[in-house]
Amino acid sequence: MKSGFVNIFGRPNAGKSTLLNALMGEKLAIVSPKVQTTRHRIKGIVTEPGYQVIFSDTPGIIEPKYKLQEKMMYAVKQALEDTDVALLLVDIRENYEEINTVFESLHIKAPAIVVINKTDLANEQQKAEAFTFFTSRTYCKEAIGISALRGMGIKDLMQAIIKYLPEGEPFFEGDELTDLPTKFFVGEIIREKIFHLYEQEIPYHATVQVMEFKEKDTLTKIRAEIIVQRETQKGIILGEGGKMIKELGTLARMEIESFLSRKVFLELFVKVRMKWRDNEVFLKEFGYQ
Ligand SMILES: Nc1nc2c(ncn2[C@@H]2O[C@H](COP(=O)(O)OP(=O)(O)OP(=O)(O)O)[C@@H](O)[C@H]2O)c(=O)[nH]1
Ligand SMILES: [Mg+2]
C-alpha cells in the first residue's frame, strides 16, 4: 500500500485549483480568471486499491502585503512541511527564470514533479523550451505537460505521482473526499461568484461567512454574510436596487444546489468590518487561522 501528501505549489493563476479539481474528477476548489483566488489549503483525497493520495491545493505564492496574505502564505508553508511529493505548477506562458527562483526558494526536500500547465495555449516549440528549461533543474525529478482545463495529461501525471508516493497505510477512510466541512465549500462557492461578478478591488476586500446551514425536509436553508472593508464596497456588492446581489445569489444558489444535490434557499447579507484583512480577531472569526 502507498499513501502520502501531494501538494500543489505555484504562482497565482497558474491553474492549481483547476488541477486539483481535474485530479479529483470533482470540483472542490474554486477557480477564477483573477489572481489570488485561493486563500486556504484545500485537501482532496483519492483512494484506490493500492494507494491513497491526499492532494492539497494552496494559495499562489506571493510577497505578503497585509495580514490576510500572511495567512495565505502560512497555508503554503504548512503544505511545504508535510509534502511527500511536490507538484510545481507552471503556466507555460510564465517567465521561467522568475518561477525557477520561486521554486528554488521553497527548498523542497521531497521529490518534485514540474507540471507544465496550459499546454493547450502553446505550440510545440514553446513546449520544448519549457521541458528543456525545467528538466535540467536540480529539484526536478521529471517534467510533465498538461492542460488542467481540458483534462489532458492528467493520467500520466497520476502515474508519475504514484511512482514517487511512499509506502504506507491510508490516513483517511476510503469514502472521505476532503477534511473540510460542507459549510466551508458553500462559503467558497459564494466567494467564487464574487470573483466572477465584481471587478477591481472588490473580490480582494471581501470574504464570506456561512452563519446558518439547516437541513430541512425538502431543502437546505443557508444564511451567509459577505464582509467588506468599506461602506462604498457594500453599495457595490448590492448594486442598484439590489440588482447585483440578486444575481450573485442566483449564481451561488445554483452551484450550491448542484454541490449538495439538494434544493437550497440562500439568503445573503452584506456587512462592513473596517480593515478586516489586517485584523487578527476578524481574520480568526472569518476562518483564516
Ligand atoms: N487555457 C487554459 N486555462 C487554464 C488551464 N488551467 C487553468 N486555466 C485557467 O487559469 C485561470 C486560473 O485558474 P485557477 O485554477 O484559479 O488558478 P490558481 O493557480 O488556483 O490561482 P490562485 O488560486 O489565484 O493562486 C482560470 O481562468 C482557469 O480556467 C489550462 O490548462 N488551460
Ligand atoms: Mg487557486
Side-chain angles (χ1 to χ4, degrees):
M1 186 76 190
K2 287 186 155 196
S3 72
F5 290 82
V6 177
N7 304 336
I8 309 169
F9 303 98
R11 294 288 286 275
N13 215 48
K16 298 177 294 302
S17 301
T18 310
L19 174 58
L20 178 82
N21 297 339
L23 287 161
M24 296 295 299
E26 182 137 1
K27 185 172 166 186
L28 277 186
I30 62 168
V31 168
S32 95
K34 298 187 174 80
V35 295
Q36 293 180 50
T37 306
T38 305
R39 292 179 183 164
H40 297 86
R41 175 179 186 183
I42 295 163
K43 292 195 191 116
I45 305 156
V46 173
T47 309
E48 293 291 342
Y51 66 88
Q52 179 175 74
V53 184
I54 303 111
F55 288 107
S56 289
D57 182 18
T58 64
I61 299 163
I62 47 165
E63 275 301 325
K65 295 203 175 67
Y66 44 90
K67 278 212 173 81
L68 170 64
Q69 290 183 330
E70 283 172 23
K71 304 280 177 200
M72 288 158 64
M73 289 313 100
Y74 184 69
V76 175
K77 200 171 153 241
Q78 276 189 315
L80 277 170
E81 279 166 14
D82 67 25
T83 299
D84 293 308
V85 180
L87 304 183
L88 304 180
L89 193 64
V90 180
D91 180 330
I92 194 156
R93 303 162 305 171
E94 269 183 277
N95 178 311
Y96 302 152
E97 289 291 349
E98 264 174 44
I99 184 67
N100 176 54
T101 311
V102 174
F103 289 157
E104 279 177 348
S105 73
L106 298 177
H107 300 294
I108 290 173
K109 291 175 205 84
I113 303 171
V114 174
V115 183
I116 300 159
N117 191 28
K118 309 196 187 181
T119 53
D120 54 295
L121 301 175
N123 58 33
E124 292 308 316
Q125 192 198 331
Q126 282 169 305
K127 283 186 226 177
E129 269 171 39
F131 272 88
T132 309
F133 183 90
F134 286 105
T135 44
S136 61
R137 306 294 129 181
T138 49
Y139 52 78
C140 176
K141 280 267 182 210
E142 65 184 273
I144 293 179
I146 65 158
S147 167
L149 187 68
R150 305 243 173 112
M152 281 154 42
I154 302 298
K155 279 208 184 97
D156 291 344
L157 175 58
M158 199 65 202
Q159 272 177 6
I161 290 166
I162 296 162
K163 197 163 67 189
Y164 299 112
L165 210 59
E167 304 271 327
E169 290 306 308
F171 292 84
F172 292 88
E173 300 283 338
D175 57 351
E176 283 178 89
L177 266 191
T178 181
D179 62 333
L180 290 162
T182 305
K183 240 173 101 167
F184 169 82
F185 293 100
V186 168
E188 286 289 275
I189 292 170
I190 301 168
R191 220 164 56 70
E192 181 186 74
K193 303 309 167 202
I194 296 176
F195 265 79
H196 284 270
L197 268 184
Y198 300 93
E199 293 309 319
Q200 290 164 359
E201 90 284 7
I202 297 294
Y204 301 100
H205 288 237
T207 191
V208 173
Q209 213 185 2
V210 176
M211 306 304 288
E212 193 188 318
F213 186 93
K214 269 201 196 130
E215 308 229 340
K216 308 258 187 190
D217 286 346
T218 55
L219 51 73
T220 303
K221 185 168 178 276
I222 299 168
R223 185 165 60 87
E225 289 177 357
I226 298 162
I227 295 111
V228 289
Q229 301 214 107
R230 287 194 283 275
E231 213 50 56
T232 49
Q233 294 168 344
K234 180 173 171 175
I236 295 170
I237 295 275
L238 294 172
E240 249 184 74
K243 185 170 157 271
M244 289 299 283
I245 198 164
K246 195 164 169 237
E247 191 176 344
L248 174 66
T250 305
L251 287 174
R253 180 184 47 79
M254 291 195 306
E255 190 165 329
I256 298 166
E257 283 181 339
S258 89
F259 180 71
L260 299 176
S261 306
R262 240 178 153 236
K263 264 197 98 54
V264 164
F265 176 72
L266 176 65
E267 271 186 307
L268 294 177
F269 296 89
V270 191
K271 267 194 179 172
V272 180
R273 289 286 177 269
M274 293 286 283
K275 299 197 174 153
W276 69 264
R277 295 190 314 181
D278 262 311
N279 181 313
E280 284 290 348
V281 178
F282 285 148
L283 284 166
K284 197 164 173 221
E285 186 182 337
F286 304 148
Y288 302 99
Q289 303 289 352

